[in-house]
Amino acid sequence: MSRISILGATGSIGKSALALIAEHPERFQVEALVAQSNAALLAEQAINAKAKIAVIADEAHFSVLQSALAGTGIEAAAGESAIAEAMARKADCVISAIVGAAGLKPTLAAIKAGSTIALANKECLVCAGDLLQQEAERHGVKILPVDSEHNALFQVFDAKAPQAIEKITLTASGGPFLHTQNLSAITPEQAVKHPNWQMGAKISVDSATLMNKGLEVIEAFYLFPVKREQIEVVIHPESIIHGLVHYVDGSVLAGLSHPNMMTPIAYALAYPQRISAPVKNLDLAAIGKLTFLEVDHAKFPALQLAYDALKTGGTATITLNAANEIAVQAFLEKRIGFLDITKIVAETLASIPSHAVSCLEDVFAADAAARALTLNLIGKNNGMAA
Ligand code: NAD
Ligand code: MG
C-alpha cells in the first residue's frame, strides 16, 4: 500500500487525484487531506477516502469540519501548524496542489519528512526553487512534476546525458484569447473559461495572460538541468504535445496525451511503475492535425516578464509571483481590468530592486514586500479609474 497525502484536496488537482486513487483501492491509502476553507467538502472527501486526518487551513471553518467528522475515527485539525504537523508524518507521496506561494511551507514540511513530492504547485518552485531542491537533496526526496508540460518532459528527458540535450520546449495552448484582438474588456468569467483544461480560477487566468507559461519556464529551470536560454515556448492550441526534448543529434522526443490531468497525476503517483487512468486513447487520425505558432509577445507580455525575472535572479521571481497572485485576485474581484494584471506585475518588478536570497526568511520577506507594493499600486489604479 502506498500512503498518499494531498495538499489542496478540494481543488481541481486534488479532486482529480482523489478520483484516481478511488480507482485503485488495492494500491493507495489516503493519509492526510488539506484544504483552505471548504470544510464540508473536505470532510466528505476524508470520509470517502477513509483518510486518517483532515486539516483545514482557515481555523474559522474548524467547527464544521470537526462536527462532520465526529464519530468517524478521522482526526480533524486546523491552522498552519496543524498542516505542518500532518506533513511531518511521512507519506510515500504528498501531492502538492495548494495554489500559490501558500504551498511553499507545507511542501517543505513534507520534504523534511522524507515524503516523495508529486508537485503541481509551480509557485513554490518559482519562489524558492533553489531552497526546495537543496532540501529535497538533503532528505533524499524525489520531486516528480505533475504540471503536464514538465511531466511530459520528465518522461522524455534523459537525465543521464544532460550534455546531449540542446533545448527543451514547453507548449502553451495560448489560452482563451489566442485569437481575440482586443483584450481590454475581458471579464473574469471569460478569462476562467479555458478551451482545453478544467482548472482552478487562478491558473486559468494565468493561462489567459500567458503568465502561467512564464511561471512554467521558471519551474522547468529548477526541475531540469538546463540553462534559461535552453527553455523555449511554442503555442500549440490543441494541447496534445505537452513538452519536447531536443537532442544534439537532431532527435526530438515529445510527450503526448489528451489534455487531462489524470495522466500526469497517475504517472507521479505510481512512479516508477504505471497505473491505468480513466483517459481515452489518443486517436491521432481523429485529431487530424497538430498546429504550432510563435508566441505574440506584444499581446502577451507576461511571458517575457518571467524570462526577465529568471535572468535577474535573486528575489525577482518571488516579486513576479507575489505581484501576479495579488493582481489576479484583484482582477477576479473586478477591481482591475485584464490588461492591468501584467501591467501591475511589470510595475511592481520595476519598483523593487532584486537582491540575493539565502534562506526561507528572505523568500517570505520579499513575498510580503511585493504583495504590499502591488496592493498599493492597485489602490492607485482604482483611484485613477474612479
Ligand atoms: P484550485 O484553486 O482548484 O485548488 C486549490 C486548492 O488549494 C484548494 O483545495 C484550496 O482549498 C487549497 N488552498 C488554497 N490556499 C490554501 C492555503 N493557504 N492552505 C491550504 N490549502 C489552500 O487550484 P488547482 O487548479 O487545483 O491548482 C493547484 C495548483 O496546481 C496550482 O499551483 C496550479 O498552478 C497547479 N496546476 C494545476 C493544474 C490544473 O489542471 N488544475 C495543472 C497544472 C498545475
Ligand atoms: Mg502546465
Side-chain angles (χ1 to χ4, degrees):
M1 277 294 212
S2 182
R3 293 162 304 143
I4 311 293
S5 291
I6 307 180
L7 291 164
T10 57
S12 162
I13 293 287
K15 285 184 200 160
S16 295
L18 281 168
L20 188 71
I21 287 168
E23 299 235 335
H24 299 277
E26 73 299 339
R27 193 170 182 122
F28 300 117
Q29 155 74 50
V30 174
E31 291 285 315
L33 295 182
V34 175
Q36 165 79 333
S37 54
N38 191 343
L41 176 57
L42 180 64
E44 186 188 319
Q45 291 178 323
I47 292 167
N48 289 340
K50 300 190 180 67
K52 298 266 165 54
I53 177 169
V55 191
I56 196 90
D58 185 343
E59 297 180 32
H61 298 270
F62 178 57
S63 58
V64 176
L65 183 70
Q66 199 177 28
S67 51
L69 293 179
T72 61
I74 300 168
E75 227 179 300
E80 212 181 284
S81 58
I83 298 176
E85 278 168 34
M87 289 305 107
R89 303 182 193 178
K90 185 176 186 294
D92 292 298
C93 179
V94 171
I95 303 174
S96 169
I98 287 176
V99 59
L104 176 55
K105 269 191 200 166
T107 304
L108 269 172
I111 290 174
K112 286 186 177 144
S115 308
T116 297
I117 306 296
L119 188 73
N121 175 244
K122 63 196 83 183
E123 294 93 341
C124 69
L125 275 182
V126 171
C127 293
D130 280 332
L131 292 174
L132 270 171
Q133 288 294 11
Q134 280 161 19
E135 282 299 311
E137 212 164 293
R138 182 180 330 187
H139 296 277
V141 158
K142 275 203 175 62
I143 297 180
L144 302 170
V146 167
D147 208 349
S148 56
E149 298 76 3
H150 308 72
N151 185 271
L153 289 166
F154 184 81
Q155 297 195 40
V156 293
F157 195 100
D158 186 350
K160 290 187 294 301
Q163 72 288 352
I165 287 159
E166 202 161 73
K167 62 176 180 177
I168 61 175
T169 305
L170 302 161
T171 66
S173 68
F177 311 127
L178 179 59
H179 302 297
T180 308
Q181 293 305 326
N182 184 354
L183 301 181
S184 59
I186 295 297
T187 64
E189 292 76 15
Q190 291 170 313
V192 298
K193 266 202 204 114
H194 196 277
N196 303 346
W197 301 94
Q198 296 276 320
M199 310 182 286
K202 191 258 179 186
I203 182 177
S204 298
V205 174
D206 285 349
S207 297
T209 59
L210 254 65
M211 181 59 88
N212 181 52
K213 212 49 56 181
L215 299 177
E216 289 185 356
V217 166
I218 302 169
E219 181 186 13
F221 177 78
Y222 288 111
L223 284 172
F224 302 101
V226 291
K227 297 194 185 76
R228 179 174 43 83
E229 308 77 44
Q230 289 175 290
I231 308 171
E232 158 191 282
V233 171
V234 69
I235 302 289
H236 167 44
E238 295 86 1
S239 298
I240 296 293
I241 299 181
H242 306 292
L244 308 98
V245 177
H246 306 248
Y247 290 88
V248 287
D249 61 3
S251 303
V252 182
L253 301 191
L256 288 75
S257 71
H258 281 296
N260 183 331
M261 290 308 291
M262 288 281 193
T263 296
I265 294 170
Y267 180 86
L269 278 184
Y271 183 84
Q273 296 165 355
R274 290 200 187 252
I275 52 170
S276 64
V279 178
K280 56 183 188 272
N281 282 333
L282 193 65
D283 181 343
L284 287 175
I287 292 167
K289 66 175 181 190
L290 299 176
T291 54
F292 304 92
L293 298 159
E294 270 184 33
V295 176
D296 182 344
H297 287 283
K299 187 172 166 186
F300 298 108
L303 177 59
Q304 191 58 47
L305 282 182
Y307 270 109
D308 293 347
L310 183 58
K311 183 174 181 189
T312 304
T315 53
T317 59
I318 303 168
T319 304
L320 172 92
N321 178 69
N324 183 58
E325 284 192 36
I326 295 292
V328 169
Q329 189 57 36
F331 168 69
L332 287 169
E333 291 167 2
K334 303 196 174 175
R335 289 188 284 127
I336 60 171
F338 181 76
L339 291 173
D340 295 330
I341 302 172
T342 308
K343 228 170 21 194
I344 285 170
V345 174
E347 275 177 56
T348 308
L349 277 163
S351 312
I352 301 184
S354 168
H355 57 84
V357 175
S358 57
C359 61
L360 208 53
E361 286 65 38
D362 292 348
V363 175
F364 292 127
D367 179 82
R371 282 171 201 265
L373 187 87
T374 311
L375 277 170
N376 196 8
L377 289 172
I378 288 170
K380 284 191 189 142
N381 181 294
N382 280 352
M384 283 188 298

